[in-house]
């Protein structure tokens, strides 16, 4: 993975404000190495949970494998 980027899974479509649609990134939690960073909208799936990264939020996996989210602005 170049620069800590995880591969995207199959594309999904999310519903945005005003009924618009936009691509929604899909990632597997077990494929996210430390340092992996990406912007929402995205869904992170793992065996026992699903995490939504909304638009305007950047997610980064820290060295302890926590997902740290930051609101852009």
């Amino acid at each position: 993975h170049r620069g800590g980027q995880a591969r995207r899974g199959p594309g999904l479509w999310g519903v945005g404000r005003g009924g618009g649609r936009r691509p929604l990134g899909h990632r597997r939690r077990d494929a996210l190495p430390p340092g992996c960073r990406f912007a929402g909208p995205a869904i992170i799936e793992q065996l026992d949970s699903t995490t939504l990264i909304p638009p305007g939020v950047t997610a980064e996996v820290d060295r302890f494998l926590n997902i740290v989210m930051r609101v852009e602005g």
Side-chain angles (χ1 to χ4, degrees):
H1 304 293
R2 187 179 73 94
Q5 296 295 317
R7 284 187 225 174
R8 292 181 178 211
L12 300 174
W13 286 93
V15 177
R17 292 188 177 128
R21 303 185 111 193
R22 62 189 306 176
L24 185 64
H26 177 250
R27 292 173 167 81
R28 287 189 1 240
R29 178 80 160 99
D30 61 354
L32 299 176
C36 179
R37 182 181 306 151
F38 54 92
I43 289 179
I44 302 171
E45 290 188 292
Q46 66 185 51
L47 182 62
D48 60 348
S49 67
T50 302
T51 304
L52 173 66
I53 311 299
V57 173
T58 299
E60 181 174 2
V61 180
D62 71 12
R63 66 184 178 134
F64 301 107
L65 300 179
N66 297 304
I67 300 171
V68 179
M69 292 187 257
R70 292 184 176 85
V71 177
E72 299 170 6

